[in-house]
Amino acid sequence: MQDKNTYYLGIDIGGSHFAMGVVDTDTMSLLAGTVERFPVDSGLSALPVLNQLIRSIRQTITNFQKPIKGIGISVPGPFDYEQGVSYIFGLNKFDSLYGVNIKLFLWSHLQDTLESIEQIAFLNDADSFVLGETYSNNLHSGKVLGVTLGTGIGSGFVVDGKVVTNSDHIPEDGNIYNLPFKGKRVEDWISTQWFLDTFFKTFGESVDNVKQIADHAETSEKAKDIFEQYGQHLGEVMCSLSGSFKPDALVIGGSISKSYHLFNNAFETCATPQNIRITKGTANAAIVGAVIHLTIKQNKLSTKRKTEQYVMPMRADESRKDEGYTVYPSFEIATGTVSMGVESLIDELPKEGCVLIDGYMGAYWEEFMAQVSAALQTRNVEHMGYDMASAYKEADVINNMVEPFLGGDDPVFGQIYPGNLKDFFDNQKLNSIQPIEGILNIFYGPGAALSGQKGTIVYIDVPKNEIQFRSRAGQVANLGNVMVEDNKQQYKRMYFIDWQVLNKHKQQLLKDIDFVVDGQFGSDITWCDGDTLRKGLQEMASHAFRPRPWFSPGIWGGDWMKERFGELAQDVPNYAWSFELIAPENGIVISKNGVRLEVSFDFLMFQDNQAILGEAASVFGTEFPIRFDYLDTVNGQNLSLQCHPTVAYMRENFGHNFTQDETYYILDAEPGAKVYLGFNEGVQKDEFRNALEQSHSEAKPMPVEDYVQTFEAKKHDLFLIPNGTVHCSGIGNLVLEISSTPYIFTFKMYDWMRMDLDGKPRPLNIKRGVENLNMECQGDKVQAEYISKPEVLQSGDDWKMIKLPTHPKHFYEIHRYELDSEMTVSTNGQCHILNLVEGTKINVMANGRSMDVHYAETFVVPAAAGSYTIKNLGTGTAKVVQSNVKPEISKTGL
């Protein structure tokens, strides 16, 4: 008869043995005949220890003779249980495993038994014990507190059948050993060492273990008194925890629990839980608990990315090239190869020594490393993986280090962190990782090149939009393995801390990268070698190219882009933004034979900022100074009423060298569309502040037009919005925002009494906004100085170059080229950023290479191109808006 039950292997890792057995998950019972204990010397180097674990697993599975569906492993800490990485060091056991990804090792050696790395899970030994006892005692509902008494004191908390490590009334990570108690820590009073020290003080002689003291206690009242003191300490700690956690049951395990009869009276006098259970076998309970944990994980659906947006296709679709605006532009490189798949990458890596797989936060490290490890194993390459996260400084140290730059309780703003990625690592921990001679050692994770090892460098880049989609799904930790549950707070930490140091690190690595990987594709990759990347970037730096845009819905968003950009996902409420070119968050895509690879825009700047920016490089360095983005309110709503910080305020409060000076170029507008800009004559700052604060405190609408002017918005109008200017787009506009690059420094002062898409109010910044308002921008001055008046600079038979004057505070200028056939433009030593704002299609020829551009697409012509020719390929007049840094800025600075 066919056995239809489902079986899992459970393992309890101890200091001198591996205990393992098969669990029938239909009954959640341990099959007694399958339980075995395998000795292990925990002082050996990593490879012998892990090979012994593999042999033990294979022997147990072979003896059972039936397939298993997964492996749950109970292991003591410190340990990264999610990733399967050991942090154990200095405990006289398993020191050689520090930083080793044990899950990865097991998966690579057990591919004939398991289908995926997700069939392996780890859980703290105390948590495993409590979970196992919870199920074996039918305590599935309610609260269970468990402790293991041995070398120290382990603890676990279970609520309704699931382990809980972070919740109200539970110590951090569920650990009680380090809680304060009697002037010391709990473990100083409840541990084997306490027994040994107390016995010596009492009797003046030493013993080797607690069992010897227990033997004395059978005949010695003094020895029995030691156990009673122990019981009193344990009772007081349990009483304190019970008062807050309020468990329905307490389970006690560990080697010292075997002597419970010697301290039960003293313990129960101090602790009075309703239900005390003493385990019959700690290891067996832990085996079952580890398997239960794995089955819970497998039944929990995990979302890898939270967005309706598509992942960029790995191959270009040539059939779409004439279908208008493309969301996935790429730059076909002249030399080198862009390849697909991990297998082909592995063929290029060395078979021993070191590989340093560095990269950006947000990569799917476990999936990638599982593929790498599997591919190496099929090639019989012995290897070991070391997670750089094991060498981070402690979380509280990192939090204290970055806290001054997080802006306190400000929901949006912090200050640019001035340090480097190495600040996050502990050198002692790094030195504790012990690579093995004669095999391939793989250090992976952000900062792998800082490991102190020399070897082949692979760099995984992940687009910023993809990082944010993964962040919203809870798949991204901030540097230091710090999990921030609130997405907006996590973004703030990424922007002001993580991205700053990762970008510096990337810049330092660029010249040494041997291979670069595009990590946005989930279970697959594209890659190229470092020379191909650098040559491709250099080629791009002297030819016209399009950055890759990305799109996002918002509470005020419209449907202009949704209806016209055919490659966009349609299952969204609207599209509010298109990041056409916001250098800190956009990518560039190179391709070869249609295979795409995206890297961040700043790679281009790090490769040759001089070629890109020309004369402006002396002022802006590797920061790209100008951004283009869309704001879509067609059939949407008004933007919030807002302003942006002055230069001085920006530098002092946020650490940016220049501020968010903007313009609104109206690419399209519905009849009746308008822009809010500047104050009505005579409005006073205090009067405006009071109106804002009253509206906010009383939750009542504010009569905005009593204070702020409105202007009709028509196609090709340009509204000037230097810092301090009160403004917002009204309903019915597609705004091409031409601005200096800073983009998050918007002080929202009034948001029309609405909730955001998540149902929560958007944060207002009334105080900051009012502090930065330019109250001189009012009355007739707004029309005269803040709405651009076009001037024809040059013209030919069928073309015109029109200047759209910007405000003196703007460090950039704007022109519009209007042509029926073609015209040639000189870059004059400046980078040109452009957009086809009218017409169907143009061709741009720069430095001997041509590129087609469709309506509404943004493109860049680097300064090094020298000049470029625009040819109109459509009917009617083509209009191209263009911006560059004002030439005088290169001489005078900001």
Side-chain angles (χ1 to χ4, degrees):
M1 182 181 295
Q2 184 179 1
D3 187 345
K4 295 183 179 180
N5 288 12
T6 306
Y7 302 104
Y8 285 71
L9 181 65
I11 303 173
D12 179 53
I13 295 180
S16 61
H17 68 277
F18 304 132
M20 58 187 70
V22 176
V23 175
D24 181 346
T25 55
D26 293 285
T27 60
M28 282 303 173
S29 59
L30 179 62
L31 304 183
T34 66
V35 177
E36 297 192 57
R37 289 167 63 95
F38 299 90
V40 62
D41 183 349
S42 60
L44 293 176
S45 61
L47 207 52
V49 169
L50 293 178
N51 283 335
Q52 168 66 354
L53 180 57
I54 293 293
R55 285 193 296 270
S56 303
I57 291 171
R58 288 197 176 282
Q59 182 176 326
T60 303
I61 294 174
T62 300
N63 292 344
F64 183 58
Q65 296 184 339
K66 294 177 183 178
I68 64 164
K69 295 295 185 180
I71 302 175
I73 304 171
S74 162
V75 62
F79 201 92
D80 183 336
Y81 294 97
E82 186 64 31
Q83 300 301 321
V85 177
S86 174
Y87 290 3
I88 298 171
F89 194 81
L91 300 179
N92 297 317
K93 58 180 181 181
F94 300 124
D95 282 7
S96 63
L97 296 181
Y98 188 85
V100 171
N101 190 320
I102 299 173
K103 182 195 285 191
L104 198 62
F105 187 91
L106 295 178
W107 156 242
S108 66
H109 286 75
L110 296 170
Q111 293 178 70
D112 57 342
T113 301
L114 303 175
E115 295 178 0
S116 79
I117 195 170
E118 293 174 352
Q119 291 176 277
I120 304 171
F122 293 80
L123 186 63
N124 175 267
D125 55 349
D127 289 334
S128 298
F129 158 71
V130 181
L131 192 58
E133 286 290 335
T134 296
Y135 276 74
S136 64
N137 288 288
N138 293 315
L139 301 170
H140 304 82
S141 61
K143 299 179 179 179
V144 180
L145 167 59
V147 291
T148 54
L149 308 176
T151 305
I153 179 168
S155 55
F157 297 79
V158 171
V159 177
D160 294 332
K162 296 180 181 178
V163 171
V164 179
T165 56
N166 290 292
S167 181
D168 292 340
H169 312 304
I170 293 176
E172 185 176 359
D173 295 326
N175 292 321
I176 67 174
Y177 74 92
N178 57 352
L179 293 177
F181 182 65
K182 292 183 179 293
K184 297 182 180 180
R185 303 177 311 151
V186 165
E187 196 159 272
D188 294 321
W189 297 94
I190 306 173
S191 63
T192 295
Q193 192 60 51
W194 178 87
F195 267 109
L196 301 181
D197 292 344
T198 304
F199 186 87
F200 181 80
K201 291 175 185 176
T202 304
F203 291 94
E205 58 183 271
S206 298
V207 291
D208 296 328
N209 53 56
V210 176
K211 185 179 183 303
Q212 290 176 313
I213 302 175
D215 292 340
H216 275 74
E218 299 296 339
T219 57
S220 167
E221 286 298 321
K222 286 185 177 181
K224 190 171 189 303
D225 183 60
I226 294 175
F227 276 94
E228 290 177 349
Q229 291 179 55
Y230 180 88
Q232 182 178 348
H233 298 159
L234 181 63
E236 290 175 7
V237 172
M238 292 299 101
C239 185
S240 172
L241 290 170
S242 297
S244 55
F245 181 61
K246 296 181 171 52
D248 300 300
L250 170 67
V251 294
I252 301 176
S255 58
I256 295 177
S257 71
K258 296 174 183 177
S259 301
Y260 183 68
H261 64 284
L262 295 175
F263 61 86
N264 63 316
N265 290 333
F267 169 69
E268 292 174 16
T269 299
C270 298
T272 56
Q274 297 297 311
N275 189 354
I276 300 175
R277 305 287 182 94
I278 308 302
T279 186
K280 295 179 181 179
T282 304
N284 285 1
I287 287 171
V288 174
V291 167
I292 293 169
H293 171 67
L294 172 57
T295 61
I296 291 172
K297 277 179 63 85
Q298 290 180 328
N299 290 329
K300 182 180 178 182
L301 295 176
S302 177
T303 302
K304 289 289 189 180
R305 57 198 300 271
K306 189 175 180 181
T307 181
E308 292 78 17
Q309 302 307 302
Y310 307 131
V311 175
M312 180 179 74
M314 296 175 71
R315 285 187 176 276
D317 182 359
E318 293 299 320
S319 67
R320 282 207 82 260
K321 63 188 308 181
D322 289 317
E323 292 185 16
Y325 187 103
T326 179
V327 175
Y328 310 112
S330 59
F331 185 92
E332 185 76 2
I333 55 177
T335 60
T337 301
V338 177
S339 302
M340 300 171 64
V342 170
E343 293 282 344
S344 58
L345 174 62
I346 295 303
D347 288 336
E348 301 298 321
L349 298 182
K351 303 305 181 277
E352 64 176 66
C354 274
V355 171
L356 311 176
I357 305 182
D358 210 312
Y360 222 77
M361 66 186 304
Y364 291 147
W365 291 102
E366 179 174 280
E367 290 185 13
F368 178 74
M369 288 304 301
Q371 292 184 65
V372 167
S373 191
L376 288 169
Q377 194 64 27
T378 59
R379 291 161 173 77
N380 296 315
V381 177
E382 193 69 73
H383 61 283
M384 195 71 70
Y386 307 91
D387 188 349
M388 285 296 293
S390 65
Y392 280 135
K393 293 176 179 176
E394 295 300 315
D396 58 344
V397 174
I398 290 176
N399 286 334
N400 290 334
M401 178 178 75
V402 304
E403 189 272 336
F405 303 93
L406 288 176
D409 59 1
D410 191 301
V412 179
F413 302 113
Q415 191 168 39
I416 299 297
Y417 178 70
N420 297 290
L421 183 56
K422 68 179 181 181
D423 301 344
F424 290 77
F425 290 100
D426 182 319
N427 286 331
Q428 185 176 359
K429 290 183 178 181
L430 272 177
N431 294 333
S432 299
I433 299 175
Q434 305 170 21
I436 302 167
E437 290 189 12
I439 72 168
L440 181 62
N441 297 277
I442 306 174
F443 288 74
Y444 69 91
L450 301 175
S451 63
Q453 308 296 323
K454 293 184 178 180
T456 300
I457 296 176
V458 179
Y459 190 91
I460 304 178
D461 209 14
V462 184
K464 295 290 200 320
N465 60 316
E466 191 63 29
I467 291 172
Q468 291 173 67
F469 299 154
R470 297 175 185 185
S471 164
R472 295 167 194 167
Q475 297 291 325
V476 177
N478 290 95
L479 285 179
N481 258 1
V482 176
M483 291 301 299
V484 180
E485 292 185 6
D486 182 271
N487 295 141
K488 292 178 180 177
Q489 289 299 307
Q490 181 170 60
Y491 178 87
K492 180 172 76 166
R493 187 160 176 151
M494 288 192 293
Y495 181 94
F496 288 100
I497 310 294
D498 301 345
W499 293 353
Q500 305 302 322
V501 299
L502 289 168
N503 291 345
K504 290 180 187 176
H505 180 62
K506 181 191 298 183
Q507 181 177 7
Q508 293 162 357
L509 275 188
L510 176 55
K511 67 181 186 305
D512 298 317
I513 291 173
D514 295 296
F515 301 95
V516 66
V517 171
D518 185 344
Q520 70 180 294
F521 301 111
S523 59
D524 210 339
I525 65 167
T526 58
W527 63 273
C528 70
D529 63 52
D531 285 340
T532 295
L533 172 67
R534 289 180 286 269
K535 289 176 181 177
L537 294 172
Q538 201 64 55
E539 185 181 0
M540 189 178 283
S542 60
H543 296 94
F545 66 90
R546 278 193 66 207
R548 182 199 162 183
W550 68 277
F551 303 78
S552 183
I555 190 60
W556 45 263
D559 57 18
W560 194 97
M561 293 185 290
K562 185 177 178 181
E563 291 181 355
R564 289 166 175 80
F565 298 167
E567 290 178 300
L568 284 178
Q570 295 297 301
D571 189 20
V572 292
N574 59 58
Y575 283 108
W577 294 276
S578 168
F579 283 42
E580 289 289 297
L581 172 53
I582 302 182
E585 295 209 20
N586 280 94
I588 47 175
V589 182
I590 63 171
S591 62
K592 187 66 175 179
N593 298 323
V595 179
R596 295 171 167 139
L597 182 145
E598 182 174 357
V599 294
S600 60
F601 191 95
D602 52 18
F603 260 123
L604 188 60
M605 298 298 291
F606 299 152
Q607 175 66 26
D608 195 342
N609 65 317
Q610 185 71 44
I612 298 293
L613 294 185
E615 295 176 2
S618 62
V619 177
F620 295 98
T622 56
E623 287 189 85
F624 195 83
I626 296 172
R627 66 176 161 92
F628 276 32
D629 59 274
Y630 286 131
L631 310 174
D632 184 352
T633 66
V634 176
N635 295 319
Q637 301 179 32
N638 297 333
L639 271 68
S640 63
L641 194 65
Q642 57 193 247
C643 75
H644 305 295
T646 65
V647 174
Y649 194 94
M650 185 72 137
R651 290 173 177 171
E652 180 180 351
N653 290 275
F654 307 130
H656 269 297
N657 191 39
F658 53 97
T659 193
Q660 193 165 325
D661 292 310
E662 296 183 337
T663 68
Y664 281 177
Y665 187 95
I666 307 300
L667 189 138
D668 203 356
E670 297 284 288
K674 58 188 177 183
V675 166
Y676 293 78
L677 185 68
F679 290 108
N680 292 321
E681 186 67 47
V683 171
Q684 299 298 308
K685 181 179 285 191
D686 289 345
E687 170 192 11
F688 185 59
R689 179 197 294 112
N690 292 339
L692 292 168
E693 292 176 346
Q694 182 178 0
S695 169
H696 183 58
S697 63
E698 297 179 4
K700 292 182 179 178
M702 172 183 165
V704 173
E705 293 185 27
D706 288 355
Y707 303 93
V708 180
Q709 295 190 58
T710 63
F711 296 90
E712 182 185 2
K714 305 182 300 296
K715 286 183 69 169
H716 305 303
D717 284 346
L718 181 66
F719 296 91
L720 309 180
I721 311 169
N723 62 82
T725 305
V726 65
H727 69 283
C728 74
S729 171
I731 298 169
N733 291 312
L734 182 71
V735 174
L736 174 60
E737 202 170 32
I738 301 174
S739 171
S740 52
T741 291
Y743 57 104
I744 70 166
F745 300 93
T746 297
F747 299 147
K748 302 180 185 74
M749 295 175 284
Y750 179 69
D751 202 31
W752 312 96
M753 312 306 298
R754 63 191 169 197
M755 298 294 174
D756 207 345
L757 290 177
D758 60 6
K760 300 176 183 178
R762 298 203 301 166
L764 295 181
N765 308 102
I766 294 173
K767 182 176 183 296
R768 289 190 190 271
V770 172
E771 286 176 356
N772 284 271
L773 282 173
N774 174 15
M775 298 307 299
E776 294 182 2
C777 179
Q778 60 176 262
D780 294 341
K781 192 172 187 178
V782 180
Q783 175 75 50
E785 299 181 14
Y786 292 80
I787 300 177
S788 187
K789 313 299 188 296
E791 307 168 7
V792 177
L793 289 185
Q794 300 177 35
S795 63
D797 291 340
D798 60 356
W799 62 268
K800 286 188 289 189
M801 177 180 178
I802 300 170
K803 180 178 182 179
L804 305 176
T806 56
H807 193 275
K809 287 184 179 179
H810 289 119
F811 64 67
Y812 53 90
E813 59 188 7
I814 299 173
H815 302 92
R816 187 170 63 235
Y817 307 136
E818 300 185 359
L819 61 148
D820 294 329
S821 56
E822 66 178 65
M823 64 182 293
T824 298
V825 181
S826 172
T827 65
N828 292 317
Q830 298 289 343
C831 181
H832 285 197
I833 306 94
L834 309 98
N835 184 292
L836 179 58
V837 295
E838 188 168 309
T840 56
K841 185 178 178 182
I842 58 173
N843 179 268
V844 181
M845 174 68 74
N847 213 4
R849 177 181 175 135
S850 71
M851 176 181 73
D852 288 346
V853 176
H854 297 89
Y855 178 51
E857 291 182 339
T858 296
F859 62 104
V860 178
V861 178
S867 65
Y868 54 100
T869 298
I870 303 172
K871 183 178 293 186
N872 184 2
L873 301 181
T875 58
T877 300
K879 297 181 180 181
V880 180
V881 71
Q882 174 268 326
S883 183
N884 59 267
V885 173
K886 291 176 179 177
E888 60 267 25
I889 294 296
S890 301
K891 300 179 177 64
T892 63
L894 294 172

